[in-house]
Each structure stands twice: as C-alpha cells, then as structure tokens.
C-alpha cells in the first residue's frame, strides 16, 4: 500500500511535466492543474472516469503507433520492392 503513494505521485509529476511541455506554464502550476483535473473527474465520474480515461489513452496510443508506422514506412528507400514481395 505504501508503494501506491509513490506510484501516484510519479504519475502526477509526469502529468505536470506533460502539461508544462504542452502549455509552457511553470511546473508548479502545471502540477497543481493536473491534480485538480484528476480529482475533479474522479470525484464526478469514479470508475467511469477511469474507464473513459483508459479509452481515450488507448485511442491516442493507437493513433501514435499508426503515425509512427506511416512515418517510417515513407522513409523506406525501396517501397516498390517491398510492396511487390508482400504475398
């Protein structure tokens, strides 16, 4: 149970860093706004908020993987040869 507090703290710090990077706000304001956001949607949504967050996160991960795939596929020097070898 004690490790859960450190895990949760690390998640809040990571969220603060992401908000700071995206918005350009200071880390303290970003961390506080992230904590407020998480507390609000958890308070109002409970487990539904967790499921919704996981759903959105999965969509972002899949979209990111597709973007990376297309990006690296376009970097291949011999795309035509690769497409001819696909059965």
């Amino acid at each position: 149970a004690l490790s859960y507090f450190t895990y949760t703290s690390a998640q809040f710090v990571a969220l603060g860093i992401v908000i700071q990077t995206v918005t350009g706000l200071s880390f303290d304001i970003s961390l506080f706004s992230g904590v407020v956001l998480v507390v609000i949607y958890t308070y109002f949504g409970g487990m539904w908020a967790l499921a919704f967050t996981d759903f959105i996160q999965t969509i972002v991960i899949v979209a990111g993987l597709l973007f990376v795939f297309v990006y690296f596929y376009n970097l291949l020097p011999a795309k035509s040869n690769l497409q001819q070898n696909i059965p």
Side-chain angles (χ1 to χ4, degrees), residues 69 72-87:
F69 172 77
F72 282 114
Y73 181 77
N74 288 331
L75 290 179
L76 289 174
K79 282 184 276 195
S80 60
N81 292 338
L82 180 67
Q83 290 174 346
Q84 292 173 357
N85 293 332
I86 297 175

Side-chain angles (χ1 to χ4, degrees), residues 4-87:
Y4 183 74
F5 292 110
T6 58
Y7 174 76
T8 304
S9 301
Q11 294 297 315
F12 280 136
V13 168
L15 180 60
I17 291 172
V18 169
I19 293 173
Q20 177 187 18
T21 302
V22 171
T23 63
L25 297 172
S26 72
F27 176 73
D28 294 336
I29 294 173
S30 300
L31 180 64
F32 181 73
S33 63
V35 169
V36 168
L37 175 70
V38 169
V39 168
I40 287 173
Y41 79 73
T42 303
Y43 177 75
F44 287 112
M47 290 305 291
W48 172 250
L50 178 65
F52 182 73
T53 303
D54 289 344
F55 176 71
I56 298 297
Q57 182 180 9
T58 302
I59 290 173
V60 170
I61 289 171
V62 170
L65 288 173
L66 287 173
F67 173 78
V68 169
F69 172 77
V70 169
Y71 177 78
F72 282 114
Y73 181 77
N74 288 331
L75 290 179
L76 289 174
K79 282 184 276 195
S80 60
N81 292 338
L82 180 67
Q83 290 174 346
Q84 292 173 357
N85 293 332
I86 297 175

